[in-house]
Structure formats: structure tokens, C-alpha cells
Amino acid sequence: MQEFDLYAVLPELVLLVATCLLLVASVYVPERVVATPGVEQDIFHTPRGVGFVYFFTIILLVYLIFAFVGRMGDPALVAMNGLFQSDPLSNLLKACSCGAVLVSLIYSKQYLTDRAMFRPDFIVLALLALLGQMVLISGANLLTLYLGLELMALPTYALVAMRHNSEKSVEAGIKYFILGALASGFLLYGMSMLYGVTGSLDLIEIFKTVADPRINHLVMAFGLVFIVSGLAFKLGVVPFHMWVPDVYQGAPTAVTLMIAAAPKIAAFALLFRLLINTLLPLMGDWQPMLVVLAVLSLVVGNVTAIAQTNVKRMLAYSAIAQMGFVLLGMLSVFDEHAFSASMFYAITYVLTTLGTFGLLMALSRKGYDCETLDGLKGLNKKHPWFAFIGLVMMFSLAGIPPTVGFAAKLGVLEALVDGEHTFLAIIAVMASLIGAFYYLRVVKVMYFDEPVHDMAVSGSGYAKSILSLNCILVLALGIVPAGLMSLCLDAMRRTLLGS
């Protein structure tokens, strides 16, 4: 192992070692039995023990964020004999993933404590999923990409089914596992066909080989179909979206946030690594598939969300439509502006999602989950500031100025028009108008309906402060988006030049 190899993977090694130490240390944390009314006795670690693990994890994630931000000025390099790459794009995305997991844990603490789920194993599984995301984002080889994908997915399956006394949670975990395994099989089969045609697992070598007119284009086309299908499953876009609503609704809200936030950044990285870094010479083959997936996701996601009364299920269909926008940004021919607009959209969508689910958990309490529109009725009369946070998040998801969602949608639409995809831009605008209905319905419920029950805001003052900062950031980036846009564009440009 060369010195630069160790430097490239150092943050991942730190995360791996720290997670393993936390897992071992949690074995020695004393346990006690707590009787939960109406269910069998449940075992969970004492607050003191899990408090140490939680505090150490927060420090670890803050360190990782600063480590990756500090590396963004470094040139792109490929390490570990071509298995791992560290470039500006990967460092930016990994910093965002660490930040998303950090905020998710802060929002989730009180929610998990009230449901006897605030345990070291929850935190360890979240960190292992984050490690998988980091490996996936920096994958420079088909094997590395697949290993990162599985390392991200397997802990998430366990998290979804962790609330073992809930039938919905267990059912969601089984559905997620079965359909996730199917998606992984699709992707692995496509990768094997790609290897059979090119004779290499290295992304750079595959990029050079697929442009050769002598390769077997029939086998390559079949492999490409399987790869795009596997990517569509992981992104949760139509028609491979069947797992998203059930998992979002069935999983505990804290786990839903773990699925809805950071993994979306890793999914964008996988999309970029496979389609842009590797299969760009075949853009004429995969671009029509992305067009179909994007248009179907925009239409089906937004139209179906109108009929939902469960907020988590509505946000699931919203996520399907939002991923359609991310796909639209990948359609321009080698245009770093379009790719950076898509990355900006993914990052800001995660930021808005954090605030949305953070609000739902703040309005939940022991014995009650705020998941329906009835739970939000009259919020402005009881807690005006939290109603305003909800308004900002809904406006951002709908793409209404001055929130960051408007800047993100505008960037993708501009890229479509510049790339002469005006018809797709019109479809995207029409779909956004449909989506605005159910987002504004949530605002109407919070501001104009009468409360149906007493409302209480749970969580520590620290979590509430982070939620307020989340809201302010969504507004600030909407008013002044140039800084983050320039950061995304610079990272994308330097990564494309380096590759």
C-alpha cells in the first residue's frame, strides 16, 4: 500500500475502526428490562451507555465533515490499484452524506428514546450504512461500486425492521429486503455482462473499451438495460418504485429519514459513476431510457401523491417525482452545468427532506406518531414557528420562491432548455404545478384548519435549534444559491477534467 493509498481511504478507515469499536463497546454496556404496556418486554441499553455512543458518534461525524471539506481542493487521484478514487465531487458528496446522517441522528434522538429504540445498535447500523455510501461514492471499479451498494443496503434493511413489535415495520423490512435484493441482482447481472464484453472491471478501462466499434453491441445493450433497471430500483423511480411508499410508511419515522436523505446522495453518485464516468459513449442508448423513467416518475409520483392522507406516504411519492428531476439533469451531452444542476438538486432535496421529517418527529411523542394530515391541523394556532418551518419545507419541495427548491428546479429546467430538451422542460413544469397542489394542501391544513387534538413539540432544545437552522438554510440558499451552485459546478468540472 502506497502512502497516497492510505491518505485516500483514511476517513473511511477511521469510520470503520470507530464503528467496530463502538459495536464492541456496546456489548459491555449494562442492560435493563423495561415493561412496555400492551407488548412483550423489550430490552434496551441504559441512557448512560447509549449516550456515550451517541456523543462519540456526533464528534466522529463532525470530524469527517471537516476532513472531506478540507480535501475538496485536492486533485483527483485513483488509489488502491484502481479500486478507489478521491476527487472533488466525491469529497463534496461524502461531506453532505455525513452531514445528513449527523442531522438525522440529532432529530431522531427523542423520537427513538420514546419508543425504546435509542440503542447503540441503531447508531452502529447507521454508521455502517454511511460507510457503504462513502465507498459507493468513491468507487472506481465495478466491484467497489457493488460492495459499497450492498454495505449501504444491508444495514438499512435491519434498521427498517428494527421495531420488531410493529407488524408494519417488519412487513416494510421484508418488502425492502426482497425488492432490494432483486435490484441488486439486476445491477450485478448488468455489470457481469459489461465485464463479459469489455474484459475489465475498471471504470476507466470500460470507458475506453465501450467506444470501440468492434465490441458486441447486442450484449452491451442487454447489460445496459439491466444496469439502468438496477439504478432505477435504487433511485425509486417509476416503474421500479413499488417499494418506496410501503417502506416510507411502514418504517419508524427516524428510519424513514435515514432512507430518504443520505442514500439519495449516494444514489446520485452511483448514477454519475456508471452512466457519465463509464458509459458516456453509449449515451444514445441510455438517454432514451432515462427520459422515459424521468417523465413517468414526474407524472405518476405527483398525481398519486394527491390522493394520500398519510404524510409519509405522500412524501414517498414526492420523492419519486423529485428523483425524476434529478434524472432530467443527466440528459445533456457532457455538460458539466447540467450535471452540476442535477447534483445541486440532489443535495438541496436532501436538505429539505431533513427539515420535513425533522418536523414530523418533533410533533411526535411517546405513544403517538405524527404521520397524517390530521396531525398537522391547526399547527399555526399552537406552534407558529414550527408551522412556518413546515411552510418553508413544503414551498421548497414545490419549488416556490424564495426557497432553495425553486433555485434547484430552475437550474434543471435551464439545463434542459440549453440542451434543446424544451418539451421535457414543459412536462417538468406541468408536473411541478400538479405537485404544488398537495404541498399547498399541507400548508392549508397547518394554517386554516382547527386542531383536532392537543399538540406538543418534543425533542431537546439542541434539536429544535438545528431544525430552525435547517429552515433558515433552506431560505438562505434560495435567496443566495450562487455559493453552493458554484461549489457543485467547480467540483463537477474538476472531476470531469481529472477523469
Side-chain angles (χ1 to χ4, degrees):
M1 181 182 293
Q2 301 295 324
E3 183 178 347
F4 74 91
D5 288 335
L6 184 61
Y7 173 78
V9 301
L10 183 59
E12 284 77 8
L13 288 177
V14 171
L15 177 58
L16 174 62
V17 172
T19 304
C20 292
L21 290 176
L22 288 175
L23 181 62
V24 173
S26 67
V27 176
Y28 299 97
V29 175
E31 296 178 337
R32 61 187 174 91
V33 178
V34 174
T36 305
V39 298
E40 295 182 359
Q41 287 185 330
D42 197 10
I43 304 294
F44 75 102
H45 295 285
T46 60
R48 180 182 177 186
V50 72
F52 166 77
V53 175
Y54 176 79
F55 177 77
F56 186 85
T57 300
I58 296 298
I59 299 299
L60 173 64
L61 292 174
V62 171
Y63 156 75
L64 290 173
I65 292 171
F66 280 103
F68 289 124
V69 170
R71 288 175 170 224
M72 287 185 58
D74 295 350
L77 60 90
V78 178
M80 308 301 291
N81 291 321
L83 293 174
F84 191 91
Q85 55 187 327
S86 177
D87 49 39
L89 181 137
S90 65
N91 289 322
L92 175 59
L93 293 181
K94 285 190 279 190
C96 293
S97 293
C98 292
V101 174
L102 171 64
V103 175
S104 299
L105 288 175
I106 293 173
Y107 288 163
S108 304
K109 182 180 179 181
Q110 187 62 49
Y111 178 91
L112 295 171
T113 302
D114 291 341
R115 289 151 186 80
M117 294 174 60
F118 189 53
R119 308 191 301 255
D121 51 336
F122 181 95
I123 298 174
V124 167
L125 287 171
L127 291 178
L128 288 175
L130 175 62
L131 178 62
Q133 294 164 29
M134 291 163 61
V135 173
L136 177 60
I137 290 171
S138 286
N141 187 286
L142 292 180
L143 283 178
T144 312
L145 290 175
Y146 187 75
L147 289 174
L149 183 65
E150 291 303 294
L151 182 55
M152 177 183 71
L154 292 175
T156 311
Y157 301 150
L159 285 173
V160 172
M162 179 169 281
R163 199 173 183 180
H164 52 78
N165 54 13
S166 170
E167 293 182 1
K168 286 185 178 181
S169 179
V170 175
E171 180 186 354
I174 294 173
K175 287 181 179 178
Y176 193 23
F177 172 73
I178 294 175
L179 293 174
L182 180 64
S184 296
F186 272 45
L187 200 58
L188 186 60
Y189 192 49
M191 288 178 174
S192 67
M193 298 180 81
L194 198 60
Y195 171 73
V197 172
T198 63
S200 176
L201 296 170
D202 185 84
L203 300 187
I204 298 176
E205 291 300 320
I206 294 174
F207 178 84
K208 297 176 181 177
T209 306
V210 293
D212 192 334
R214 295 172 295 177
I215 64 172
N216 191 325
H217 283 280
L218 180 61
V219 178
M220 178 66 72
F222 273 105
L224 192 59
V225 169
F226 279 107
I227 286 176
V228 173
S229 299
L231 290 173
F233 262 111
K234 293 303 178 182
L235 286 167
V237 296
V238 179
F240 306 99
H241 66 292
M242 64 287 292
W243 63 271
V244 180
D246 292 337
V247 173
Y248 269 50
Q249 182 180 2
T253 306
V255 178
T256 305
L257 179 55
M258 290 289 180
I259 300 170
K264 292 294 190 290
I265 296 175
F268 168 81
L270 179 62
L271 189 72
F272 177 82
R273 296 297 185 197
L274 282 177
L275 297 186
I276 305 302
N277 269 164
T278 308
L279 300 175
L280 188 65
L282 302 177
M283 193 170 191
D285 296 320
W286 56 255
Q287 189 183 58
M289 289 188 274
L290 288 196
V291 170
V292 173
L293 293 174
V295 171
L296 286 177
S297 299
L298 287 169
V299 175
V300 174
N302 283 315
V303 171
T304 312
I306 294 175
Q308 309 305 316
T309 57
N310 184 286
V311 178
K312 287 167 63 176
R313 198 170 185 89
M314 184 199 78
L315 291 173
Y317 284 107
S318 166
I320 294 169
Q322 303 286 354
M323 289 302 102
F325 260 98
V326 173
L327 292 180
L328 289 177
M330 311 297 287
L331 298 179
S332 297
V333 180
F334 206 73
D335 184 357
E336 66 266 18
H337 292 277
F339 301 154
S340 65
S342 183
M343 181 166 66
F344 178 82
Y345 195 101
I347 293 172
T348 54
Y349 167 70
V350 169
L351 178 65
T352 307
T353 299
L354 289 168
T356 305
F357 283 98
L359 178 64
L360 291 181
M361 284 188 283
L363 297 177
S364 301
R365 55 185 181 275
K366 192 170 185 178
Y368 169 74
D369 286 352
C370 181
E371 295 185 357
T372 64
L373 290 174
D374 287 341
L376 297 173
K377 284 184 176 180
L379 180 60
N380 183 57
K381 294 180 175 61
K382 299 288 186 178
H383 304 284
W385 173 245
F386 288 92
F388 178 73
I389 292 176
L391 178 145
V392 170
M393 298 307 160
M394 291 301 107
F395 275 23
S396 182
L397 290 172
I400 299 175
T403 60
V404 71
F406 171 75
K409 281 184 168 60
L410 184 62
V412 172
L413 293 174
E414 183 182 5
L416 287 173
V417 173
D418 290 344
E420 299 181 354
H421 299 292
T422 307
F423 183 67
L424 291 177
I426 294 173
I427 293 177
V429 171
M430 297 301 295
S432 296
L433 290 175
I434 296 172
F437 172 80
Y438 59 85
Y439 293 126
L440 294 178
R441 181 178 60 185
V442 176
V443 176
K444 174 259 181 187
V445 164
M446 291 189 298
Y447 276 84
F448 299 105
D449 286 10
E450 292 296 324
V452 296
H453 56 75
D454 293 334
M455 289 184 175
V457 177
S458 63
S460 65
Y462 185 56
K464 294 174 185 176
S465 299
I466 297 296
L467 182 57
S468 299
L469 182 62
N470 196 159
C471 171
I472 294 170
L473 196 57
V474 169
L475 281 174
L477 287 176
I479 297 171
V480 189
L484 182 57
M485 282 184 171
S486 298
L487 192 63
C488 292
L489 179 59
D490 180 66
M492 184 65 68
R493 180 180 290 128
R494 291 173 58 207
T495 299
L496 291 173
L497 290 175
S499 60

